[in-house]
Structure formats: C-alpha cells, structure tokens
Amino acid sequence: MRVVVFFALLCVLIFAGCENVLRDAPPPEPEPVGPQTKEEVLGLVRPVIGPLRNIVALNTGGLSDFEREQIMASLRTAIVNYGDTDFGREALRELGYEVMEIAKSAASQERYKIVLTCIDAIELLSMESHLLKRLGERADVILERPVVRVRGFLDDHEKDDAYVFLELVDRQRGTVEKLEARVGDEFNNLRLVRIIGRNSAVLLEYLRMPGLFFEVEAF
C-alpha cells in the first residue's frame, strides 16, 4: 500500500513539474510577415513605376496628372512600409537607379514632363543626381516654351514677303496670344526661321536654348 501511495505522489510531482516547465517555456517565434529580402521588395515596388517605363519604352502616349499622383503616393507608401529595414532601403535605392535611367531615356525623347516626374520621384527617394538636376533645369526651360499653332499664311507679292498667322498658347496659364510674323522676326523667346514647303509648315528656334529648332505644321 505504501508503495502505491509513493508512486502516486511521485506521478503528481512529475506532472506538476512538467506543467510548470510548459508554463515557463517561451512562446514560439512569430512567423515573419511581408517581404524579407531586397528582391522581394523590388518585386512589390517595381510596378509602381510601370507607367513611366511603358511610356518611354513605347515612345508614345503621356502621363496624366492623376497617374502622376498615383505614382508619388505609391512611392510614399513604399517608403513607409520598407524604408525601416536594410534590405528595404537597398531595394528603394535600386528602384531609384531605375527611375534615373527612365529619366535619361525620356530626356532623349524630349518628354520633359516625364523627366520632371522622375526627378520628383528621385527626390522623394532621397537620392541625388547631378545629371538629373541638369535635365530638370532643361525641362523647366522647355516647358516654358509656348505651344505654337500655325493658322494661316499671307503672301505679299508686291513686297515679295510672306506673313504667318500664329497662335501662342501659354502652357502654365492656358492663355492664347495671336500674332503675325515674317521670317526673321523674334517674339516670345522664339524666332521664325523659315517657311517650309508651300506654306505647309514653319521652322522656329527657341531662343532660350539657342540651336533648339522645331517644326510646326499648318492646320
């Protein structure tokens, strides 16, 4: 009988000890949530700049103000979500380098609104580029150039001269200025270089960037 009681007490003590051990054991480590590597973060953030990449790759279309704001908002979210880890910062830096390449391609295509959007993205990612700074300055000057529309021509046979009727649209204010000009005339930082063909188009020079010529077809 004593033996039975002894074993019963021993079992109670063992069970109580095991219970204490289980109670005192640390909880299991939680499973990591979200991306854990630079490559995983890049896979999530690269689509953000997809619209910029597609426009430059196809050399067509443009970027609306709504799309631009979506890109910037998504970049801000990415910085908040991934900017506090080393691999996240590396991924965002890599994304910035890709945006720089897009900006260079956009500049070569004279898509200066895309260039400025890329520069804003680079600044948001806290990166610097002297080349992009120069491209940004060029883009600002280009976008100040008025939009030119050719509305008609008038040949003055007595004076052996020709007049071109133009409309100049201010990109910022949307105002329209109408004027007439002859070859050699300078106006609004533009110079009328020559009339092309049989009054089919004109060649203009943007005087704020000497040597920058562009053609405008007659409507």
Side-chain angles (χ1 to χ4, degrees), residues 9-150:
L9 291 174
L10 182 61
C11 290
V12 170
L13 291 174
I14 292 174
F15 178 78
C18 292
E19 186 178 13
N20 289 333
V21 169
L22 292 174
R23 188 185 301 116
D24 296 337
E29 290 291 330
E31 291 292 329
V33 178
Q36 300 300 308
T37 65
K38 167 187 169 182
E39 288 70 24
E40 290 177 347
V41 174
L42 274 174
L44 293 172
V45 299
R46 272 194 175 121
V48 171
I49 62 172
L52 297 173
R53 183 182 288 109
N54 292 339
I55 289 172
V56 172
L58 299 175
N59 194 14
T60 185
L63 190 73
S64 68
D65 291 339
F66 176 73
E67 289 174 319
R68 180 190 179 282
E69 289 305 317
Q70 276 192 319
I71 291 172
M72 302 307 290
S74 297
L75 285 176
R76 293 188 191 97
T77 301
I79 292 169
V80 171
N81 290 341
Y82 312 121
D84 58 349
T85 63
D86 289 338
F87 62 82
R89 286 189 290 271
E90 289 178 8
L92 294 173
R93 190 178 303 111
E94 182 70 24
L95 186 73
Y97 292 137
E98 294 180 12
V99 174
M100 289 183 187
E101 293 302 317
I102 293 173
K104 294 175 186 177
S105 298
S108 68
Q109 298 173 7
E110 297 188 356
R111 294 180 173 274
Y112 292 104
K113 285 188 177 181
I114 302 297
V115 173
L116 292 178
T117 299
C118 289
I119 291 172
D120 289 341
I122 290 298
E123 291 178 350
L124 189 62
L125 293 168
S126 300
M127 299 179 68
E128 294 184 359
S129 169
H130 295 298
L131 173 60
L132 287 191
K133 183 178 180 180
R134 292 196 299 272
L135 290 178
E137 293 170 352
R138 177 184 175 89
D140 287 334
V141 174
I142 288 291
L143 292 177
E144 289 177 3
R145 186 187 75 189
V147 176
V148 181
R149 298 170 181 163
V150 179

